[in-house]
Amino acid sequence: MDPRPRITLVVARALNGVIGREGTLPWRIPADLKRFKAITMGTAMIMGRRTFESLPGLLPGRRHIVLTRDRSWKAEGAEIAHGAEEALELAANEPVSVIGGADVFALFLPRAERVELTEVLADVPGDTIMPDPRESSDWRETEVEVHAPEGNRPGFRFVTLDRA
């Protein structure tokens, strides 16, 4: 049995690559939040400090492993790691959900087995960008679920990418 944890990136990304604006999601899509909860429940979530600080609080049923370069940073309920290996050691053999930000996604993408992508079908203004993982031949779409626009909400697709 492989002792490494299964790593899944969980990301919402607009067509123009935007994943954030001013430290938060630049859209509100309730179905995406529900899917995020279902995917991350019971996992060790690995995230950057700014992503942790953007959360409304500790998310029940999940561990919060925070990557930070700041050796003095602490937060109640967060497990602190100062590098990818240390974060994975903290996760032990639990499934891992990497939830952001862009630098943390880039760090774990080469190690990930799966990407759970919410693709927002619009170009959205923002200040945090992530390249489309499908630009690499390492990934293949294994599931796609399309959702039409509703009111002022753009359409979106839930896409599961598995390493080829």
Side-chain angles (χ1 to χ4, degrees), residues 24-50:
T24 188
L25 288 175
W27 48 74
R28 175 133 174 82
I29 301 174
D32 177 48
L33 298 176
K34 184 177 178 181
R35 181 174 187 252
F36 175 87
K37 180 179 181 179
I39 291 168
T40 61
M41 188 60 69
T43 69
M45 294 187 309
I46 296 178
M47 68 202 82
R49 177 190 51 79
R50 288 184 304 226

Side-chain angles (χ1 to χ4, degrees), residues 14-70:
L15 291 176
N16 60 342
V18 167
I19 64 169
R21 180 174 56 227
E22 298 175 0
T24 188
L25 288 175
W27 48 74
R28 175 133 174 82
I29 301 174
D32 177 48
L33 298 176
K34 184 177 178 181
R35 181 174 187 252
F36 175 87
K37 180 179 181 179
I39 291 168
T40 61
M41 188 60 69
T43 69
M45 294 187 309
I46 296 178
M47 68 202 82
R49 177 190 51 79
R50 288 184 304 226
T51 297
F52 177 80
E53 290 172 347
S54 77
L55 296 176
L58 293 175
L59 303 179
R62 292 153 273 196
R63 292 174 57 202
H64 296 68
I65 300 173
V66 180
L67 274 171
T68 179
R69 292 178 194 93
D70 183 347

Side-chain angles (χ1 to χ4, degrees), residues 36-151:
F36 175 87
K37 180 179 181 179
I39 291 168
T40 61
M41 188 60 69
T43 69
M45 294 187 309
I46 296 178
M47 68 202 82
R49 177 190 51 79
R50 288 184 304 226
T51 297
F52 177 80
E53 290 172 347
S54 77
L55 296 176
L58 293 175
L59 303 179
R62 292 153 273 196
R63 292 174 57 202
H64 296 68
I65 300 173
V66 180
L67 274 171
T68 179
R69 292 178 194 93
D70 183 347
R71 299 240 171 226
S72 64
W73 186 84
K74 295 190 182 341
E76 180 134 358
E79 300 171 62
I80 312 303
H82 302 290
E85 290 305 321
E86 186 179 353
L88 292 173
E89 286 173 17
L90 285 171
N93 59 354
E94 289 183 50
V96 168
S97 297
V98 176
I99 66 165
D103 291 343
V104 177
F105 286 136
L107 186 63
F108 283 94
L109 185 62
R111 302 166 182 238
E113 295 176 35
R114 176 171 278 181
V115 177
E116 292 290 359
L117 172 66
T118 298
E119 185 172 41
V120 179
L121 301 175
D123 287 338
V124 177
D127 53 25
T128 308
I129 307 290
M130 177 184 164
D132 189 336
R134 292 169 293 194
E135 291 173 1
S136 159
S137 61
D138 293 349
W139 299 98
R140 60 184 166 78
E141 289 186 5
T142 55
E143 292 181 42
V144 177
E145 181 181 313
V146 180
H147 297 262
E150 282 185 28

